[in-house]
Amino acid sequence: MRSILFFASCLLFISSTAFSQDFRGLDKSPLDIAYYPDGFAHDRKPGEGPVMKVIYSRPQLNGRTMLGDKEPYGKVWRTGANEATEVKVFQDVMIGGKKLSAGTYSLFTIPNEDKWTVIFSSDLDYWGAYRYNEENDVLRAEASVSSLDESVEAFTIQFDEGVMQMAWGETMAELPIEMN
């Protein structure tokens, strides 16, 4: 009888701890990574590394108008969702005629209808752009803006032939990047 009671107690304890674990649900703005050159993970030869890696979260439109509305024009934006977007530069590059040294930066933008100001900041590891400090800007460059024929539901960063493309909704900003 004692062994049955002991076994039942152990079973009750194990089952209660197994079900007491609460994990948060899936992130509504999933994390993504873009490499320059594109396709780094599977196309590179041994010893060839990426020039740049961008780690960002992908907010969804979900029927909303974001740029110019929820994310107003002329205001600093974290360029994604959740944590500030992070850029790792593996070798010196030229952006907008200015040198950006190898290192790790937060990426912010100031979207406008006709151009975006792209900001590389030395501030790292914080949520959003609420503590953005212009004094920590390392480089600012202008990105051209164009309209897309089809709407991009999830904010996307990708590289195409030396150009960083940032697209959301029917807007795409393009920032040329030159390797030294």
Side-chain angles (χ1 to χ4, degrees):
M1 181 67 161
R2 248 187 199 177
S3 62
I4 292 174
L5 269 162
F6 176 74
F7 179 74
S9 303
C10 288
L11 202 70
L12 182 62
F13 175 76
I14 290 169
S15 67
S16 68
T17 56
F19 292 108
S20 68
Q21 302 302 317
D22 290 327
F23 292 98
R24 63 185 179 145
L26 292 176
D27 193 338
K28 292 180 181 179
S29 299
L31 200 61
D32 203 355
I33 298 175
Y35 282 98
Y36 172 57
D38 194 26
F40 166 71
H42 53 82
D43 289 345
R44 301 285 158 243
K45 296 174 187 167
E48 285 185 351
V51 173
M52 189 179 287
K53 176 172 89 171
V54 181
I55 303 167
Y56 67 106
S57 291
R58 302 183 70 191
Q60 315 288 311
L61 287 177
N62 291 327
R64 303 175 290 181
T65 303
M66 296 304 288
L67 296 173
D69 187 18
K70 185 162 173 57
E71 299 299 339
Y73 290 131
K75 300 272 185 183
V76 173
W77 178 44
R78 71 182 111 192
T79 317
N82 305 330
E83 290 282 324
T85 294
E86 186 174 285
V87 178
K88 184 164 187 173
V89 181
F90 295 94
Q91 65 184 48
D92 296 353
V93 295
M94 297 295 287
I95 298 177
K98 302 171 196 165
K99 178 182 168 186
L100 181 63
S101 298
T104 303
Y105 306 95
S106 288
L107 180 75
F108 298 99
T109 52
I110 302 173
N112 284 296
E113 287 183 81
D114 58 339
K115 67 180 178 181
W116 286 17
T117 301
V118 180
I119 305 164
F120 293 85
S121 170
S122 61
D123 270 344
L124 299 173
D125 300 319
Y126 61 90
W127 199 87
Y130 302 105
R131 292 187 355 226
Y132 167 76
N133 183 349
E134 188 173 346
E135 292 177 15
N136 296 320
D137 290 1
V138 174
L139 185 142
R140 281 182 172 225
E142 298 300 320
S144 61
V145 173
S146 59
S147 294
L148 299 170
D149 293 333
E150 292 185 32
S151 183
V152 175
E153 174 65 26
F155 175 71
T156 301
I157 297 176
Q158 65 184 20
F159 292 93
D160 185 31
E161 298 182 21
V163 177
M164 177 192 282
Q165 298 174 327
M166 298 169 277
W168 201 16
E170 295 170 357
T171 301
M172 180 168 63
E174 296 184 295
L175 181 69
I177 298 169
E178 300 171 42
M179 290 187 275
N180 283 339

